[in-house]
């Protein structure tokens, strides 16, 4: 079963465990009650495997379940949203 995205509020990021200690992360700040996604990181050795897409989908699903809205400042998250308009209910700005 694939790992699930979890929020790590202490580090202000959503995390997707990959292998061993390796994680992909979507960093955020909070602004007016909205989650501002600022940067997505996948360890280089795991690039090209769809991990960032899994991270984005898991992050958006988690935000939807928690009733929060996202502002996309991260280029990758913006691209993901542009190709996945089904998340229009959680994206603002």
């Amino acid at each position: 079963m694939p790992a699930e995205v979890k929020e790590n509020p202490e580090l202000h990021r959503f995390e997707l465990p990959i292998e061993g200690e390796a994680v992909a992360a979507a960093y955020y700040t909070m602004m007016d009650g909205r989650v501002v996604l600022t940067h997505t990181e996948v360890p280089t050795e795991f690039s090209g495997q769809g991990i960032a897409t899994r991270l984005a989908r898991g992050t958006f699903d988690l935000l939807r379940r928690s009733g929060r809205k996202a502002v996309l400042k991260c280029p990758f998250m913006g691209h993901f949203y542009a190709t996945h308009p089904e998340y229009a209910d959680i994206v603002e700005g």
Side-chain angles (χ1 to χ4, degrees):
M1 180 164 127
E4 285 189 32
V5 171
K6 305 248 190 248
E7 185 172 5
N8 183 336
E10 289 180 5
L11 295 178
H12 300 281
R13 69 186 194 180
F14 295 93
E15 301 173 338
L16 176 64
I18 302 172
E19 183 180 293
E21 298 293 313
V23 297
Y27 292 87
Y28 68 87
T29 60
M30 297 298 298
M31 181 179 71
D32 300 326
R34 297 176 297 169
V35 177
V36 181
L37 295 168
T38 58
H39 180 66
T40 300
E41 237 175 55
V42 175
T44 306
E45 63 269 26
F46 298 102
S47 64
Q49 299 179 32
I51 291 170
T53 297
R54 285 179 39 215
L55 174 63
R57 187 178 305 282
T59 297
F60 282 27
D61 289 344
L62 197 144
L63 289 171
R64 180 181 278 153
R65 285 193 305 272
S66 67
R68 292 179 288 173
K69 301 288 185 182
V71 175
L72 309 179
K73 299 293 183 183
C74 168
F76 179 81
M77 290 295 189
H79 173 73
F80 176 83
Y81 173 62
T83 59
H84 294 85
E86 65 269 23
Y87 290 107
D89 60 310
I90 65 156
V91 175
E92 289 186 354

